[in-house]
Each structure stands twice: as structure tokens, then as C-alpha cells.
């Protein structure tokens, strides 16, 4: 339980509603900043203006998937007011407080580092990334179905990257009857793909394998789908890039050549915000409870 723990949420999207619910369910005191347009409320949940004074007793601060931009601005679906996190806000936090976000830009990392405040990037955690790979794979398949005139079953599908998202996506496509090739960069990934009944190759040889591809999914956050690769892709092919911005595809050249290419980061929050919010909420509440236990025990 989070009885006696004070948690604040600053901005965010529909995923935060599940986080609010989970924190409240565990008896935390919840303060919302940037939720002016959110109508529903319940006991133990209050709204406030984002000032340093409002943060002085907090145990945890929960920011959106991308915590802030490079100037400290925080997006909020539930408010039209500007939200900006600065040095004064972080400096007001107790030293034991934890700041949570999905992924942090240098601005937020520097703010927390300068004040000695713990910053946890949830999307770096294996458990969160693996859970999130499920709605990501489903969203990628949805995009493929919406943008092609063929079935996934029987398609020549290619997944670049065999990490947490790539492995789930490749297995999903395989389960739907696609002929799946997997681009890997490590021998252990190559072996695992063989064990799963897929057709692996090393990504440096990509240009040799794309001439018949129908669907190309990239999960690698580096430029791998280059102009040279795209020049060898059939015009009918669809590229769906799941890597974080700016992706790993030469979108300019794809457009010039008439190959449809789409950048689609953040699919969990788009296609399944309730599930994505539960994943975040369950994980961060476990971390908060464990931290509170350690502090009580003087560890």
C-alpha cells in the first residue's frame, strides 16, 4: 500500500488516468498538475497550480512518456495552460523524492542530477519494455493491415532488430502466417531467431534481402533503411518504422521513390492507452513501495 505517500502527476495523456487510478487505489495522496479539464475526481486526489511550494512534501513526481522538451515544457492532454518544469521545482523536492518518466531528454536529466534527485526512465526497464512490446506489435500489425491490400498471412515480412519489441513483433507476424525474416546484429539473436523458426540475417547485409519484401518493420534507432536499401525495395512495399524519433529510415528518399514509409513511435499510448497506463502504474507503484520500505528500515 501507498498509505502516507504523496504522489504528483504533471501533465500527460490518457495513460496517466490509469496511473492516477492505480496510485489512488493503493491509498496514495495524489496531486494533479495540468489536469484542469479532467472532470472526474475522487477522495485523496486534488488539483493544484505548478509552483515550487506545491512540491515540497512529495515522495514521487510522475511525468509523461517524454518528460519534458528541451525547454522544460510538459505536454498535457487535459489542460490548455502551459506547463513548464524548471530548476526551482526540482530544487523544492525532498531529497528522497523520485521523478518518473518514460524517457528523459538532457534537460530533465540535468535538472535532476544537479539537485541530486533520483530520475527513473521507465522505458529503459526490461519489464516495462517487454510489456509495452505487446501493444506495439498489435499497433504495427494494425497499421500494416490499414495500409496494404494484401493479408499478413503469406506476406514477405521483415523485422529489423530482435530486441524486446522486435522479438514480440516477429513472433506475432509469424503467428499470423507471414514469412518472417529478421535482421539481427548479434550471433545470439541469430541463434534465437533460428530456434523460433524464422529466417535471420545480419543487418549489414540488409540490401541483399529486401528485393521481395512486402512489409518492412524497423525497430532499430539508427539509420538502417538507407536510400541504397530503399532503392532495392519494391514500390508496393510498406515501411513501418517503430524506432524513436527520428527513426531509422530515410523518409525523404522513400517519398521521392514512391515507397510508403511511416514513422510510428509511441504506439502503446496510441492504440492501447489503458493497457499502457496499467503497465506504467503497476511498475512505478512497486518502485515507490520498495523505496518507502527501504527508507522505513533505514537502508
Amino acid at each position: 500500500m501507498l498509505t502516507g505517500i504523496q504522489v504528483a502527476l504533471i501533465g500527460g495523456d490518457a495513460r496517466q488516468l490509469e496511473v492516477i487510478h492505480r496510485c489512488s487505489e493503493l491509498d496514495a495522496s495524489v496531486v494533479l498538475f495540468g489536469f484542469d479539464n479532467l472532470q472526474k475526481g475522487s477522495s485523496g486526489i486534488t488539483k493544484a497550480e505548478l509552483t515550487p511550494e506545491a512540491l515540497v512534501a512529495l515522495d514521487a513526481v510522475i511525468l509523461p512518456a517524454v518528460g519534458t522538451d528541451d525547454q522544460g515544457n510538459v505536454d498535457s492532454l487535459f489542460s490548455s495552460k502551459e506547463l513548464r518544469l524548471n530548476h526551482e521545482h526540482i530544487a523544492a523536492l525532498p531529497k528522497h523524492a523520485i521523478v518518473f518518466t518514460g524517457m528523459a531528454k538532457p534537460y530533465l536529466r540535468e535538472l535532476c542530477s544537479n539537485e541530486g534527485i533520483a530520475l527513473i526512465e521507465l522505458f529503459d526497464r526490461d519489464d516495462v519494455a517487454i510489456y509495452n512490446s505487446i501493444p506495439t506489435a498489435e499497433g504495427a500489425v494494425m497499421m500494416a493491415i490499414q495500409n496494404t491490400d494484401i493479408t499478413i498471412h503469406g506476406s514477405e515480412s521483415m523485422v529489423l532488430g530482435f530486441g524486446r519489441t522486435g522479438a514480440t513483433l516477429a513472433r506475432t507476424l509469424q503467428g499470423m502466417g507471414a514469412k518472417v525474416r529478421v535482421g539481427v546484429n548479434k550471433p545470439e539473436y541469430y541463434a534465437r531467431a533460428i530456434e523460433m523458426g524464422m529466417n535471420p540475417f545480419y543487418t549489414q547485409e540488409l540490401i541483399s534481402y529486401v528485393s521481395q519484401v512486402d512489409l518492412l518493420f524497423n525497430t532499430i534507432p539508427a539509420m538502417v533503411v538507407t536510400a541504397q536499401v530503399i532503392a532495392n525495395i519494391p514500390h508496393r512495399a510498406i515501411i513501418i518504422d517503430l524506432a524513436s524519433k527520428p527513426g531509422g529510415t530515410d523518409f525523404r528518399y522513400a517519398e521521392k521513390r514512391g515507397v510508403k514509409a511511416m514513422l510510428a513511435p509511441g504506439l502503446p499510448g496510441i492504440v492501447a492507452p489503458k493497457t499502457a497506463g496499467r503497465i506504467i502504474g503497476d511498475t512505478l507503484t512497486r518502485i515507490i513501495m520498495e523505496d518507502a520500505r527501504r527508507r522505513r528500515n533505514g537502508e
Side-chain angles (χ1 to χ4, degrees):
M1 298 294 289
L2 295 177
T3 306
I5 299 295
Q6 298 196 50
V7 175
L9 286 90
I10 303 177
D13 55 26
R15 286 172 283 191
Q16 306 300 78
L17 301 182
E18 292 299 317
V19 178
I20 293 168
H21 174 74
R22 184 59 175 155
C23 290
S24 179
E25 184 179 55
L26 291 171
D27 200 31
S29 297
V30 181
V31 184
L32 306 180
F33 301 100
F35 287 82
D36 312 70
N37 301 330
L38 183 64
Q39 297 303 316
K40 68 176 185 178
S42 62
S43 177
I45 299 177
T46 59
K47 298 178 186 177
E49 294 293 322
L50 183 58
T51 64
E53 292 75 23
L55 307 182
V56 295
L58 293 176
D59 299 294
V61 173
I62 302 166
L63 292 166
V66 178
T68 71
D69 66 12
D70 293 327
Q71 287 74 46
N73 297 307
V74 182
D75 285 335
S76 181
L77 182 66
F78 304 102
S79 177
S80 56
K81 297 179 182 178
E82 182 180 274
L83 281 174
R84 188 171 189 277
L85 198 66
N86 59 36
H87 163 75
E88 286 76 16
H89 295 115
I90 301 299
L93 290 170
K95 291 305 179 184
H96 70 265
I98 303 173
V99 175
F100 294 92
T101 185
M103 61 183 74
K105 295 202 170 186
Y107 176 92
L108 180 60
R109 291 196 191 107
E110 185 175 349
L111 282 186
C112 293
S113 175
N114 288 346
E115 296 302 324
I117 298 295
L119 172 65
I120 294 180
E121 297 182 61
L122 293 168
F123 294 170
D124 279 346
R125 292 174 56 95
D126 279 339
D127 52 355
V128 173
I130 291 169
Y131 286 132
N132 269 337
S133 73
I134 300 168
T136 298
E138 291 186 9
V141 169
M142 177 191 74
M143 291 183 67
I145 291 171
Q146 290 174 337
N147 288 280
T148 57
D149 55 5
I150 62 172
T151 59
I152 301 292
H153 188 281
S155 68
E156 294 285 346
S157 294
M158 180 177 290
V159 178
L160 303 182
F162 205 58
R164 298 162 300 196
T165 297
T168 300
L169 176 56
R171 187 168 55 248
T172 301
L173 293 166
Q174 184 186 51
M176 296 179 71
K179 302 168 189 173
V180 183
R181 287 190 179 275
V182 180
V184 303
N185 63 355
K186 295 180 180 179
E188 56 267 37
Y189 290 168
Y190 193 101
R192 178 58 70 189
I194 289 286
E195 181 273 329
M196 293 173 65
M198 297 171 191
N199 298 305
F201 63 91
Y202 287 102
T203 50
Q204 59 263 37
E205 302 166 352
L206 174 60
I207 198 168
S208 303
Y209 289 91
V210 295
S211 62
Q212 299 300 317
V213 73
D214 297 309
L215 300 167
L216 193 159
F217 301 88
N218 176 54
T219 70
I220 301 171
M223 182 56 67
V224 287
V225 189
T226 62
Q228 291 80 6
V229 171
I230 295 169
N232 285 274
I233 290 176
H235 284 90
R236 69 174 186 276
I238 302 291
I239 301 170
I240 299 176
D241 199 319
L242 306 173
S244 56
K245 292 181 182 181
T249 299
D250 189 333
F251 290 99
R252 182 201 62 81
Y253 186 74
E255 182 179 8
K256 180 177 180 179
R257 189 165 181 270
V259 173
K260 192 166 190 176
M262 295 167 284
L263 180 61
L267 281 179
I270 297 170
V271 303
K274 183 178 284 287
T275 298
R278 286 173 180 167
I279 291 166
I280 293 169
D282 287 347
T283 302
L284 65 84
T285 52
R286 283 199 305 272
I287 295 171
I288 294 170
M289 281 190 280
E290 179 60 24
D291 179 70
R293 184 196 65 78
R294 284 197 301 265
R295 287 192 285 115
R296 282 196 303 269
N297 295 338
E299 297 177 21

Short mmCIF file of all heavy atoms in Angstrom, two decimals, residues 115-139:
data_model
loop_
_atom_site.label_atom_id
_atom_site.label_comp_id
_atom_site.label_asym_id
_atom_site.label_seq_id
_atom_site.Cartn_x
_atom_site.Cartn_y
_atom_site.Cartn_z
N GLU A 115 20.33 18.55 -8.67
CA GLU A 115 19.72 18.61 -7.33
C GLU A 115 19.81 17.29 -6.58
O GLU A 115 19.29 17.18 -5.47
CB GLU A 115 18.25 19.04 -7.45
CG GLU A 115 18.05 20.44 -7.99
CD GLU A 115 18.75 21.49 -7.14
OE1 GLU A 115 18.80 21.33 -5.90
OE2 GLU A 115 19.27 22.47 -7.71
N GLY A 116 20.45 16.29 -7.18
CA GLY A 116 20.59 15.01 -6.51
C GLY A 116 19.28 14.26 -6.35
O GLY A 116 19.10 13.49 -5.40
N ILE A 117 18.35 14.46 -7.27
CA ILE A 117 17.05 13.80 -7.24
C ILE A 117 17.07 12.59 -8.18
O ILE A 117 17.49 12.69 -9.33
CB ILE A 117 15.92 14.76 -7.66
CG1 ILE A 117 15.82 15.93 -6.69
CG2 ILE A 117 14.58 14.03 -7.77
CD1 ILE A 117 15.42 15.56 -5.29
N ALA A 118 16.62 11.46 -7.67
CA ALA A 118 16.61 10.23 -8.48
C ALA A 118 15.64 10.38 -9.65
O ALA A 118 14.51 10.83 -9.48
CB ALA A 118 16.22 9.04 -7.63
N LEU A 119 16.10 9.99 -10.83
CA LEU A 119 15.27 10.01 -12.04
C LEU A 119 15.21 8.60 -12.60
O LEU A 119 16.24 7.98 -12.86
CB LEU A 119 15.88 10.96 -13.08
CG LEU A 119 15.23 10.96 -14.47
CD1 LEU A 119 13.80 11.49 -14.40
CD2 LEU A 119 16.07 11.80 -15.45
N ILE A 120 14.01 8.08 -12.77
CA ILE A 120 13.84 6.73 -13.31
C ILE A 120 13.13 6.82 -14.66
O ILE A 120 12.02 7.35 -14.76
CB ILE A 120 13.04 5.84 -12.34
CG1 ILE A 120 13.85 5.61 -11.06
CG2 ILE A 120 12.68 4.51 -13.00
CD1 ILE A 120 13.16 4.73 -10.03
N GLU A 121 13.81 6.32 -15.69
CA GLU A 121 13.24 6.28 -17.04
C GLU A 121 12.64 4.89 -17.24
O GLU A 121 13.35 3.91 -17.46
CB GLU A 121 14.32 6.59 -18.08
CG GLU A 121 14.88 8.00 -17.94
CD GLU A 121 15.92 8.33 -18.99
OE1 GLU A 121 15.58 8.30 -20.19
OE2 GLU A 121 17.08 8.61 -18.61
N LEU A 122 11.34 4.81 -17.16
CA LEU A 122 10.65 3.52 -17.14
C LEU A 122 10.84 2.73 -18.42
O LEU A 122 10.89 1.49 -18.40
CB LEU A 122 9.16 3.74 -16.87
CG LEU A 122 8.83 4.26 -15.47
CD1 LEU A 122 7.37 4.72 -15.40
CD2 LEU A 122 9.10 3.21 -14.41
N PHE A 123 10.96 3.41 -19.56
CA PHE A 123 11.06 2.69 -20.83
C PHE A 123 12.42 2.02 -21.00
O PHE A 123 12.60 1.20 -21.90
CB PHE A 123 10.79 3.62 -22.01
CG PHE A 123 9.37 4.13 -22.07
CD1 PHE A 123 9.01 5.14 -22.95
CD2 PHE A 123 8.39 3.61 -21.23
CE1 PHE A 123 7.71 5.61 -23.01
CE2 PHE A 123 7.08 4.09 -21.28
CZ PHE A 123 6.74 5.10 -22.17
N ASP A 124 13.37 2.35 -20.12
CA ASP A 124 14.67 1.67 -20.13
C ASP A 124 14.62 0.34 -19.40
O ASP A 124 15.54 -0.48 -19.53
CB ASP A 124 15.75 2.55 -19.47
CG ASP A 124 16.28 3.61 -20.41
OD1 ASP A 124 16.02 3.50 -21.63
OD2 ASP A 124 16.96 4.54 -19.94
N ARG A 125 13.58 0.11 -18.64
CA ARG A 125 13.46 -1.11 -17.86
C ARG A 125 12.99 -2.27 -18.74
O ARG A 125 12.08 -2.10 -19.56
CB ARG A 125 12.47 -0.92 -16.70
CG ARG A 125 12.95 0.03 -15.63
CD ARG A 125 11.84 0.28 -14.62
NE ARG A 125 11.34 -0.97 -14.03
CZ ARG A 125 11.77 -1.47 -12.88
NH1 ARG A 125 12.70 -0.83 -12.17
NH2 ARG A 125 11.26 -2.60 -12.40
N ASP A 126 13.60 -3.43 -18.55
CA ASP A 126 13.21 -4.59 -19.35
C ASP A 126 11.75 -4.96 -19.14
O ASP A 126 11.05 -5.29 -20.11
CB ASP A 126 14.09 -5.79 -19.01
CG ASP A 126 15.43 -5.76 -19.72
OD1 ASP A 126 15.53 -5.05 -20.73
OD2 ASP A 126 16.36 -6.42 -19.25
N ASP A 127 11.27 -4.92 -17.90
CA ASP A 127 9.89 -5.35 -17.67
C ASP A 127 8.90 -4.45 -18.41
O ASP A 127 8.00 -4.93 -19.12
CB ASP A 127 9.57 -5.42 -16.17
CG ASP A 127 9.90 -4.16 -15.40
OD1 ASP A 127 10.47 -3.22 -15.99
OD2 ASP A 127 9.59 -4.11 -14.19
N VAL A 128 9.08 -3.14 -18.31
CA VAL A 128 8.18 -2.21 -18.99
C VAL A 128 8.28 -2.36 -20.50
O VAL A 128 7.27 -2.40 -21.21
CB VAL A 128 8.47 -0.75 -18.57
CG1 VAL A 128 7.66 0.24 -19.39
CG2 VAL A 128 8.18 -0.56 -17.09
N ALA A 129 9.51 -2.46 -21.01
CA ALA A 129 9.70 -2.56 -22.45
C ALA A 129 9.09 -3.84 -23.02
O ALA A 129 8.50 -3.84 -24.10
CB ALA A 129 11.19 -2.49 -22.79
N ILE A 130 9.22 -4.93 -22.28
CA ILE A 130 8.64 -6.20 -22.76
C ILE A 130 7.12 -6.14 -22.74
O ILE A 130 6.45 -6.53 -23.70
CB ILE A 130 9.17 -7.38 -21.92
CG1 ILE A 130 10.66 -7.59 -22.22
CG2 ILE A 130 8.39 -8.66 -22.22
CD1 ILE A 130 11.35 -8.55 -21.26
N TYR A 131 6.55 -5.64 -21.65
CA TYR A 131 5.09 -5.48 -21.62
C TYR A 131 4.62 -4.56 -22.74
O TYR A 131 3.62 -4.83 -23.42
CB TYR A 131 4.65 -4.92 -20.27
CG TYR A 131 4.70 -5.89 -19.12
CD1 TYR A 131 5.28 -5.53 -17.90
CD2 TYR A 131 4.14 -7.16 -19.22
CE1 TYR A 131 5.32 -6.41 -16.84
CE2 TYR A 131 4.19 -8.05 -18.16
CZ TYR A 131 4.77 -7.67 -16.97
OH TYR A 131 4.81 -8.54 -15.91
N ASN A 132 5.33 -3.44 -22.94
CA ASN A 132 4.94 -2.48 -23.97
C ASN A 132 5.09 -3.03 -25.38
O ASN A 132 4.46 -2.54 -26.31
CB ASN A 132 5.77 -1.20 -23.84
CG ASN A 132 5.11 -0.16 -22.96
OD1 ASN A 132 3.89 -0.17 -22.77
ND2 ASN A 132 5.90 0.73 -22.40
N SER A 133 5.94 -4.05 -25.53
CA SER A 133 6.12 -4.61 -26.87
C SER A 133 4.85 -5.27 -27.39
O SER A 133 4.67 -5.40 -28.61
CB SER A 133 7.27 -5.63 -26.86
OG SER A 133 6.90 -6.83 -26.20
N ILE A 134 3.94 -5.64 -26.49
CA ILE A 134 2.70 -6.30 -26.92
C ILE A 134 1.79 -5.31 -27.65
O ILE A 134 1.42 -5.55 -28.81
CB ILE A 134 2.00 -6.97 -25.73
CG1 ILE A 134 2.91 -8.02 -25.11
CG2 ILE A 134 0.67 -7.59 -26.16
CD1 ILE A 134 2.44 -8.54 -23.75
N PRO A 135 1.41 -4.17 -27.03
CA PRO A 135 0.59 -3.22 -27.80
C PRO A 135 1.35 -2.60 -28.98
O PRO A 135 0.73 -2.22 -29.97
CB PRO A 135 0.21 -2.15 -26.76
CG PRO A 135 1.17 -2.31 -25.64
CD PRO A 135 1.54 -3.76 -25.61
N THR A 136 2.68 -2.52 -28.88
CA THR A 136 3.44 -2.02 -30.02
C THR A 136 3.29 -2.95 -31.22
O THR A 136 3.04 -2.51 -32.35
CB THR A 136 4.93 -1.88 -29.66
OG1 THR A 136 5.08 -0.92 -28.61
CG2 THR A 136 5.74 -1.42 -30.86
N ALA A 137 3.43 -4.25 -30.98
CA ALA A 137 3.28 -5.22 -32.07
C ALA A 137 1.87 -5.19 -32.64
O ALA A 137 1.68 -5.22 -33.87
CB ALA A 137 3.63 -6.62 -31.56
N GLU A 138 0.88 -5.13 -31.77
CA GLU A 138 -0.50 -5.08 -32.25
C GLU A 138 -0.76 -3.82 -33.07
O GLU A 138 -1.43 -3.85 -34.10
CB GLU A 138 -1.47 -5.16 -31.07
CG GLU A 138 -1.48 -6.51 -30.38
CD GLU A 138 -2.56 -6.63 -29.30
OE1 GLU A 138 -3.40 -5.71 -29.20
OE2 GLU A 138 -2.55 -7.64 -28.58
N GLY A 139 -0.22 -2.70 -32.62
CA GLY A 139 -0.39 -1.45 -33.35
C GLY A 139 0.30 -1.48 -34.70
O GLY A 139 -0.23 -0.96 -35.69
#
